[in-house]
Amino acid sequence: MAYHGASYYIFFATDPKLALEEISFDLKELLADVMDLFREKVREKGLELQLSFLENIPSRLLSDPSRLRQILINLIGNAIKFTEKGGIEVKVEGHESSDSTFHVKIQVIDTGVGISAEAMGQLFQPFSQADNTHTRRYGGTGLGLALSQRLAAALNGKVEITESQVGQGSTFAFTFNANLDDKDKKLGSSAGSGKNSEKSLLTGTRILFADDSSDNALLAERILTKRGATVVIATNGVEAVELAGSRDFDLILLDIQMPYMDGYQALRLLRLEGYKRPIIAVTAHAMSHEIKQTLDAGFDANITKPLDQSVLINTLEVWLSKNGIRRRVLSS
């Protein structure tokens, strides 16, 4: 999915009341999902996009994940918009500030056009622009930064620019305080003790995921292994067919557009070789004719990119259950 910044700014502008919720969520998972929104745009511009955690982060926090997502989308989206070479790095650190509160700091560091010292003071004013030349070339930040700052304040935090040099890049810092989830206060735990039911749905299943995009493959692997599945990655259709012939997989996901052998060709060979379990197409577009084309070709289902975690999990659960695979795995 290509990134279109204006839609996010409109979303900010139509929500002036800043109503907040307190929901248990996984910060690492939220950040990974936000980063995935921009993978296509980053590839188009030839940039790098990195995410790093400098310290252990609790597996579960209590805050408003939708508001956090809005702020991160704005900051990362702006960094990509104003960067033509190099890349963007998102650094995350935090510390426990009390028995029930955790302080998080997220830095968005880019190698973009930078901002002059005199313009920095105007950045968080609604509709103000740092530089008219940059505005004409890249488009402005509109209400994004101003409302991101308001959202951060509502979350007991702030958004600020901590460093910038014209022609060298900028660093924005987003800090906020969240409550620790009573069910999971241990720092650095991997999946959270309260999520075993989520894992059990796919525990013991063996999944083959074929995609020449390492980003998609790693995202799928992270989502599925977190729920107890064993995931094997293939980078093209040839590898997928070879792996399926030498190992026992409960389900296969095939990207349609792959080098050497595409998803349709791989599907035909797999069926000819006797693979009777579910094979799911992974496509770049949710166009009705493309979905129909994959189903007509013999795929059991279709999942579109960028991968949506809930859609991926639900689709796999449905087809594993239809084939009795999940019941077999859980009863073994």
Side-chain angles (χ1 to χ4, degrees), residues 163-175:
E163 184 179 354
S164 188
Q165 295 183 40
V166 175
Q168 300 295 316
S170 304
T171 299
F172 282 81
F174 166 37
T175 58

Side-chain angles (χ1 to χ4, degrees), residues 115-126:
I115 303 166
S116 64
E118 58 270 23
M120 286 189 194
Q122 302 177 12
L123 274 181
F124 295 94
Q125 301 300 318

